[in-house]
Amino acid sequence: MRTTVGSAALLLATALVPGLGAAQESADTIYSGGPILTIDDATPSAEAVAVLDGKIVAVGSMEEVSALKGEATQMFELGGRAMLPGFVDSHGHVVLGGIQALSANMLAPPDGDVTDVASLQQGLRDWAEKNREAVEAVNLIIGFGYDNAQLAELRHPTRDDLDAVSTEVPILIIHQSGHLGVANSKALEIAGITEASENPPGGVIRRGADGRPNGVLEEYAFFGTLVPLLGQLGPEGFKTFAKAGAEMWASFGYTTGQEGRSSAGNVEALRAVDAAGDLPIDVVAFPDVLEARDFIEANVSQEYDGHVRVGGCKLTIDGSPQGFTALRDRPYYDPVGDYPPGYKGYAAITEEQVADAVDWCFDHDYQILTHANGEGASDMLIAAIAAAEEKYGAPTNRPVLVHGQFLREDQVDSIQKLGIFPSLFPMHTYYWGDWHRDHTVGPVNADNISPTGWVRQRGMMFGSHHDAPVAFPDSMRILSATVTRRTRSGDILGPAQRVSVMDALKALTIWPAWQHFEEDSKGSIEVGKRADFVILSDDPMAVDPETLAEIDVLATIKDGAVVYEAAEGEQKTELRDRTFLGGPEMGHEILHAMYEAMSEG
């Protein structure tokens, strides 16, 4: 029988505090002095919140909550800042998110400085020079986050572009989508990719006019190169990724992270970091159902072991819409590159694999999160879940559609009927909205990407995610994009798909908590729930919606303990620079730690 996380703790807390002022123990901490947004429809705001042993024991007026003040109670003065429940990650990759602490920043403004191939090359050179000793030790240069849609040349860099940086050290740069990458000649050599290499199932090795691989690798061709290169970093390297990723999530207000499309090794890395006391937040992992069924069966649980649990399965059907590897139901509008007439993208796996994976998860009553971007991929998922529900009955496993960038309105009706929870990616409207309008789906259909408006018109919940490391886990950028749908160029993409600030906040808190079967313990500030909070510089409900992205996360509190606090006066740009190697001395230490681990192992 499926149980909800935290139900026992909720009953215990309710017994302890049957009503305000009824507790016999003093609170550990009382929070007051600023707007408190509870995300609880019954009591949307409060003047004060009391916490005892990491649980919320009172929410209400200052006069009422002060009844729990004792000699040892700490008074947390908000000073006009806003307090909300800690954010719950609807979809991301905590461990791979830590790769940003290892990589040269290849992102375009406002998250980086790469605007053309020349600045990309210079960014790699500068990074390698700053970290020369470590790069020589590890023999690897990684850049993360380039986006051909934002380069002046409107093309992917090639092996020749990267060879201009180095022909001796392997270089791999990762597309911001995480579904493509570019390798220099040395990296291709290590990966064994030659003119004679054939495309792997679900992947493409791009070639020049001479038939020679040009360094650009799609989907499983890319994954097959990335995994061996990262694999040489060993278990200690992945522990470093896990720690750095979780710390980054905390810096953006997340108290629960997700490790999507995980592996046994990634889960073990998270557990090891947690055992060392270095995992600041909860992380729910969803191992790949095509590769890790035995591990899933042995580890899936609705209860945390420390800060880690395996929540179910992850399935990936197609690729990246902005990279033209997502499977559509019609041709791409105006794809940039060498594509045949009528090109619709492609699936990474077969319909039979999709049906088998979904059936297996339903048979075991495991939650399944499925990456489907294009309409064609969503059709495959909808058909598989419909067949599973006909066989097993109405779902109790809360299946999740991840991304659904190009959902048709009839598909939204289908996922509502089938009880599929949509975890959507509204940040695409900011980062790639102009690209989708001009190249992937065209100006008409671009208005309906990430269709949060259609979802809310039907009274459905949804999660709003970042898919980091595809983008920073920037909660306020997510909030802004979900509310305004403003693109980089200033266009508003699909005004009818915008939602209210409160709905957008619920999509960061209580609704993804429900997605993870944790709505009884997280997602809102209510008596009995865990004391997971985020402190913001401004009240999102009180500012001009056009300024939502400018709000800063000042502190993150997990189970009543501060796990992140912004340095005084620190702004988002400084936090961004601290995240990547190049600004941080932390990054240099990370590479050295990996080198030491490799030397020992």
Side-chain angles (χ1 to χ4, degrees), residues 43-77:
T43 310
S45 62
E47 291 183 341
V49 173
V51 170
L52 175 65
D53 295 332
K55 298 290 192 300
I56 300 168
V57 294
V59 181
S61 70
M62 189 64 205
E63 181 180 359
E64 292 170 320
V65 174
S66 291
L68 299 179
K69 182 180 178 182
E71 291 183 4
T73 300
Q74 298 291 315
M75 301 301 294
F76 193 112
E77 174 57 47

Side-chain angles (χ1 to χ4, degrees), residues 145-441:
Y146 88 89
D147 182 6
N148 54 302
Q150 299 303 319
L151 297 179
E153 296 85 354
L154 291 181
R155 66 168 176 84
H156 293 274
T158 65
R159 68 189 293 173
D160 294 332
D161 295 322
L162 300 187
D163 283 350
V165 176
S166 177
T167 57
E168 298 178 356
V169 178
I171 301 174
L172 185 68
I173 60 171
I174 302 171
H175 189 269
Q176 191 173 357
S177 69
H179 284 259
L180 304 93
V182 187
N184 72 343
S185 295
K186 192 65 176 178
L188 290 174
E189 176 188 327
I190 292 173
I193 296 176
T194 68
E195 290 185 34
S197 298
E198 297 182 357
N199 289 337
V204 172
I205 300 170
R206 292 196 186 182
R207 302 172 189 274
D210 58 1
R212 172 173 166 261
N214 69 0
V216 181
L217 307 169
E218 298 181 4
E219 302 298 336
Y220 277 92
F222 164 63
F223 302 142
T225 302
L226 175 67
V227 171
L229 285 173
L230 293 183
Q232 68 180 342
L233 300 176
E236 291 303 314
F238 282 91
K239 281 192 245 179
T240 305
F241 286 170
K243 181 176 183 293
E247 289 174 349
M248 191 198 314
W249 264 239
S251 73
F252 287 105
Y254 286 93
T255 50
T256 300
Q258 188 187 103
E259 168 57 10
R261 199 177 186 180
S262 189
S263 66
N266 286 6
V267 173
E268 294 308 323
L270 286 163
R271 286 172 171 165
V273 172
D274 186 49
D278 291 330
L279 198 67
I281 64 173
D282 289 340
V283 180
V284 189
F286 292 85
D288 191 319
V289 68
L290 299 182
E291 300 176 0
R293 292 190 184 183
D294 289 345
F295 183 81
I296 292 169
E297 282 193 281
N299 289 275
V300 72
S301 174
Q302 292 299 305
E303 300 296 331
Y304 283 94
D305 180 7
H307 284 299
V308 182
R309 71 180 179 94
V310 175
C313 316
K314 175 70 186 295
L315 179 68
T316 300
I317 296 178
D318 66 346
S320 158
Q322 67 271 32
F324 306 113
T325 63
L327 177 63
R328 301 207 61 203
D329 65 350
R330 68 200 77 178
Y332 278 92
Y333 179 73
D334 184 21
V336 177
D338 185 16
Y339 297 100
Y343 175 75
K344 299 179 181 179
Y346 54 89
I349 57 176
T350 66
E351 289 186 20
E352 290 75 18
Q353 286 176 300
V354 174
D356 176 69
V358 170
D359 184 88
W360 186 81
C361 291
F362 270 68
D363 184 34
H364 289 77
D365 199 26
Y366 295 156
Q367 186 174 39
I368 181 169
L369 278 59
T370 304
H371 167 123
N373 262 313
E375 307 96 326
S378 294
D379 280 334
M380 292 170 69
L381 174 64
I382 288 167
I385 289 185
E389 292 189 12
E390 184 175 350
K391 182 177 180 179
Y392 297 105
T396 59
N397 58 342
R398 299 183 186 177
V400 177
L401 166 64
V402 175
H403 303 325
Q405 283 296 338
F406 300 157
L407 282 170
R408 304 186 306 264
E409 192 164 11
D410 68 282
Q411 290 176 322
V412 176
D413 289 331
S414 294
I415 65 175
Q416 180 184 31
K417 177 182 177 182
L418 293 170
I420 301 171
F421 180 90
S423 177
L424 301 178
F425 200 173
M427 272 212 292
H428 258 256
T429 58
Y430 175 75
Y431 283 110
W432 295 286
D434 299 314
W435 186 252
H436 290 315
R437 182 195 60 224
D438 298 339
H439 296 290
T440 65
V441 295

